[in-house]
């Protein structure tokens, strides 16, 4: 979490959502042309700021609630943004919109398990040599994530009720419910039943460490309420700005000669960037448990909440939902889950494991751009 005190709300965190709301109001009133380049550039900048503002306010509320509720709140806020971006693209019915949910969820899993975890292990390992975390928490989170990823992204390729990498209506409803149930049970275990599995073991403070941050104070009720309101405004702004930008984004990706599936990578990267930064900060502060909670929690929420939502949307719109990933991506997903099991299976991590995850992440980016 951010180290500065939350006695007051930083100016940019309410200015950004306010400006975003203003731009949207002008656009929907027809005062500004929506296809002008300057408007699109402004919209893209405000989208980025609104995402960071949303995460900042989620962090303030997380401090108020305490761990592990904070991680869960952050994961849900991030997933709301992600689902909204996916659904806004599905509603356009453009080419490839039936696969955008799959591309985004797969990209989210790869970014989290390889990019974010790899970065955390390298940054933390460089400074603290070897880091420890709670084995029960990490392995249970990974079990949930592996199950969700396999059911949602690999299984549809091999079912027979519907043709292609898709589920039949009955199957998609069942898998959607199963994903939601698994996420719900995981959150219950994380917050109630086995809460201690997901808490940092208090690290001995290193007296020589100049960068040790004082633990941030709890925000007041007034600040927390403000942040709740601003969080909602920021989330709505993100969703509507994404809607404005989804068509130019598609055109830009086609113009750059990148495959359609790259839209999913971009959405997942925008959505996970602030959370990835929070996880990396925690790793540098030797709170690896918190990093792993943030990273795995957001990936679990990404599948557990996205799949049921897009299942409902696809049934309502009578749109085909492509979920199964390509053989190339199945290979990467299986490799990632296998290596993650080894990395998170000892309770201790070093720089080497971080390097392995980052190499897999680089290969994922390569085959996303050059299939």
């Amino acid at each position: 979490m951010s180290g500065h005190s939350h006695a007051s709300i930083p100016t940019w965190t309410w200015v950004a959502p306010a400006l975003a709301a203003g731009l949207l109001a002008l656009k929907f009133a027809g005062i500004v042309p929506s296809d002008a380049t300057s408007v699109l550039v402004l919209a893209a900048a405000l989208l980025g700021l609104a995402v960071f503002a949303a995460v900042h306010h989620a962090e303030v509320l997380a401090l108020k609630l305490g761990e592990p509720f904070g991680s869960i709140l952050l994961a849900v806020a991030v997933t709301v943004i992600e689902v909204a971006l996916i659904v806004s693209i599905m509603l356009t019915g453009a080419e490839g919109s039936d696969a955008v949910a799959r591309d985004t969820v797969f990209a989210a899993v790869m970014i989290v398990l390889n990019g974010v975890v790899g970065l955390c292990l390298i940054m933390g390992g460089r400074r603290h040599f070897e880091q420890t975390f709670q084995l029960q928490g990490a392995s249970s989170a990974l079990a949930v994530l592996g199950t969700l990823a396999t059911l949602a992204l690999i299984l549809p390729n091999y079912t027979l009720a519907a043709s292609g990498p898709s589920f039949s209506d009955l199957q998609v409803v069942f898998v959607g419910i199963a994903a939601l149930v698994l996420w719900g049970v995981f959150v219950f275990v994380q917050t109630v039943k086995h809460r201690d599995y997901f808490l940092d073991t208090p690290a001995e403070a290193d007296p020589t460490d100049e960068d040790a941050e004082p633990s941030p104070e709890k925000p007041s009720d007034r600040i927390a309420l403000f942040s709740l309101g601003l969080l909602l405004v920021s989330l709505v702004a993100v969703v509507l700005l994404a809607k404005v930008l989804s068509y130019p984004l598609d055109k830009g990706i086609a113009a750059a000669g990148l495959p359609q599936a790259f839209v999913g990578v971009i959405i997942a990267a925008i959505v996970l960037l602030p959370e990835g930064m929070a996880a990396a900060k925690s790793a540098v502060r030797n709170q690896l448990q918190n990093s792993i909670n943030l990273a795995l929690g957001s990936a679990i929420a990404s599948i557990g909440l996205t799949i049921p939502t897009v299942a409902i949307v696809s049934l309502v719109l009578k749109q085909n939902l492509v979920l199964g990933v390509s053989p190339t991506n199945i290979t990467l997903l299986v490799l990632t889950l296998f290596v993650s099991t080894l990395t998170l299976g000892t309770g201790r991590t070093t720089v080497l494991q971080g390097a392995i995850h980052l190499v897999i992440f680089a290969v994922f980016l390569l085959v996303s751009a050059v299939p």
Side-chain angles (χ1 to χ4, degrees):
M1 302 289 154
S2 9
H4 48 78
S5 106
H6 288 283
S8 63
I9 295 184
T11 314
W12 69 272
T13 61
W14 60 264
V15 169
L19 287 175
L23 180 70
L24 287 163
L26 291 175
K27 188 200 157 320
F28 290 125
I31 298 169
V32 292
S34 54
D35 48 0
T37 315
S38 53
V39 175
L40 293 175
V41 169
L42 183 62
L46 288 173
L47 172 69
L49 282 171
V51 169
F52 277 101
V55 173
H56 170 84
H57 295 304
E59 282 192 343
V60 174
L61 292 168
L63 272 179
K64 186 77 180 156
L65 296 169
E67 275 301 315
F69 300 100
S71 297
I72 293 166
L73 178 77
L74 214 50
V76 171
V78 163
T79 306
V80 167
I81 298 175
E82 184 185 330
V83 170
L85 297 179
I86 292 170
V87 171
S88 70
I89 290 178
M90 284 173 74
L91 291 173
T92 62
E95 187 193 346
S97 61
D98 53 351
V100 72
R102 170 201 71 184
D103 297 335
T104 307
V105 167
F106 174 68
V109 172
M110 299 305 281
I111 289 172
V112 162
L113 282 182
N114 294 318
V116 176
V117 169
L119 190 66
C120 287
L121 298 189
I122 282 199
M123 287 174 69
R126 217 186 70 207
R127 159 168 279 185
H128 302 288
F129 192 58
E130 184 184 68
Q131 291 186 292
T132 55
F133 56 88
Q134 297 249 49
L135 202 52
Q136 301 99 321
S139 57
S140 52
L142 198 57
V144 173
L145 184 55
T147 305
L148 285 172
T150 307
L151 290 180
L153 301 171
I154 301 179
L155 190 63
N157 288 324
Y158 303 106
T159 52
L160 303 174
S163 65
S166 302
F167 282 130
S168 69
D169 287 0
L170 173 66
Q171 287 169 334
V172 82
V173 168
F174 190 88
V175 169
I177 292 171
L180 202 55
V181 167
L182 257 183
W183 180 77
V185 173
F186 175 71
V187 168
F188 173 69
V189 166
Q190 195 183 3
T191 52
V192 181
K193 202 78 179 144
H194 297 287
R195 192 174 162 185
D196 49 328
Y197 287 178
F198 297 89
L199 298 177
D200 251 314
T201 44
E204 291 78 50
D206 179 0
T208 58
D209 189 2
E210 286 103 48
D211 297 353
E213 298 195 23
S215 43
E217 54 194 88
K218 265 196 171 182
S220 64
D221 292 353
R222 192 176 65 93
I223 298 269
L225 264 176
F226 259 129
S227 280
L228 180 62
L230 286 167
L231 174 66
L232 296 173
V233 173
S234 303
L235 289 177
V236 172
V238 166
V239 173
L240 294 175
L241 284 169
K243 185 100 183 69
V244 174
L245 290 165
S246 62
Y247 181 62
L249 176 67
D250 266 352
K251 274 173 56 175
I253 283 183
L258 292 167
Q260 189 72 44
F262 210 76
V263 175
V265 179
I266 290 180
I267 293 178
I270 291 173
V271 168
L272 291 168
L273 178 69
E275 202 161 9
M277 287 171 61
K281 273 188 203 162
S282 288
V284 171
R285 287 208 295 260
N286 210 7
Q287 297 171 335
L288 194 62
Q289 182 68 47
N290 197 21
S291 303
I292 290 172
N293 286 355
L294 276 170
L296 297 185
S298 60
I300 291 170
S302 176
I303 305 183
L305 300 175
T306 305
I307 298 297
T309 314
V310 295
I312 294 167
V313 172
S314 70
L315 291 172
V316 169
L317 295 178
K318 298 201 171 17
Q319 211 182 46
N320 180 33
L321 187 61
V322 176
L323 283 177
V325 294
S326 67
T328 314
N329 287 344
I330 290 179
T331 312
L332 282 175
L333 184 58
V334 170
L335 175 66
T336 298
L337 291 171
F338 168 68
V339 172
S340 301
T341 309
L342 297 177
T343 298
L344 300 177
T346 57
R348 294 179 169 275
T349 61
T350 60
V351 175
L352 172 65
Q353 290 143 319
I356 297 170
H357 282 280
L358 287 182
V359 166
I360 301 174
F361 182 59
V363 174
F364 156 70
L365 290 178
L366 172 75
V367 298
S368 298
V370 188

